[in-house]
Structure formats: structure tokens, C-alpha cells
Amino acid sequence: MKSSRILLVLAALAAGAGAAVAADETSLEISIKDHRFSPAELHAPADKPITIVVKNLDSTPEEFESKALKIEKVVAGSAEITVRVRPLKPGRYRFFGEYHEATAKGELVVE
Ligand SMILES: [Cu+2]
């Protein structure tokens, strides 16, 4: 009885901590259609962690890649991935779809 109460308190504390982190995080969403990103430009505030959900609406796979962001992750056709980005300084960070580099281009604008 006593130990289960302690567990409940710990669970509540953990949930609170998680909510605090989530509130400070910027969540962005981008989709891929016809080998292009939409929107092609994402905006995020500086110095905060960023989560980007990449939805691939094409039936073929794409690789979400950014040298500036140090990201390289394959997203299967008709699937989605979530990438986490460390807090960034203001600037423009290019990304692209490695499998269709000619068309799949975008930028994350941090300000
Ligand atoms: Cu690559």
C-alpha cells in the first residue's frame, strides 16, 4: 500500500517534468508530396529544442537530410518520422530529400 502510493507520486512527478519539457519545445510538421516539401520553409524560435514530424505522402521513400542540422533519416513511402533537433542559434538551416535532391529542398529558419 505504502509503496504503491510512492510510485503514484513518482509517476505524477515524472509526468509533470515531461509536460514542462514539452511546453518548451517547438513542434513542426512538414510533408513531402511529388518529391517536394510543403511548406518548404519552417520557422522556429532560437535556443529551444525542436521536433519535426516529416510526413511522406508519396508512395516512394525519401531521405530527410541536413548537413547543417546533422540529420539523415529515411522516411518510407506513405509513412512518417519524427526528428529531434537540438536548440539552435538564429540562422537558416538547409535540408533536402536526398533521393530527389533536385526538387526536395527546404530551409529551417531559426529566429
Ligand atoms: Cu543521406
Side-chain angles (χ1 to χ4, degrees):
M1 190 80 154
K2 209 170 201 177
S3 64
S4 68
R5 245 181 241 150
I6 290 167
L7 280 176
L8 280 176
V9 170
L10 286 175
L13 285 172
V21 169
D24 202 39
E25 193 175 276
T26 303
S27 297
L28 302 173
E29 206 179 285
I30 192 167
S31 56
I32 300 165
K33 180 87 178 99
D34 299 328
H35 313 306
R36 290 172 194 276
F37 290 110
S38 175
E41 193 175 285
L42 296 172
H43 290 254
D47 303 318
K48 288 187 174 167
I50 303 164
T51 297
I52 308 173
V53 173
V54 183
K55 294 188 174 185
N56 187 1
L57 305 179
D58 287 331
S59 58
T60 54
E62 185 54 275
E63 187 177 68
F64 184 77
E65 178 155 351
S66 171
K67 291 177 173 80
L69 299 170
K70 298 189 175 74
I71 295 171
E72 197 172 5
K73 200 166 180 181
V74 172
V75 49
S78 308
E80 66 177 54
I81 55 166
T82 300
V83 294
R84 289 179 194 288
V85 181
R86 68 194 186 283
L88 296 168
K89 293 187 167 76
R92 300 179 79 93
Y93 300 82
R94 288 175 200 280
F95 55 83
F96 58 95
E98 200 186 357
Y99 299 161
H100 303 90
E101 252 187 274
T103 53
K105 300 173 191 178
E107 271 188 325
L108 171 64
V109 181
V110 176
E111 51 211 346

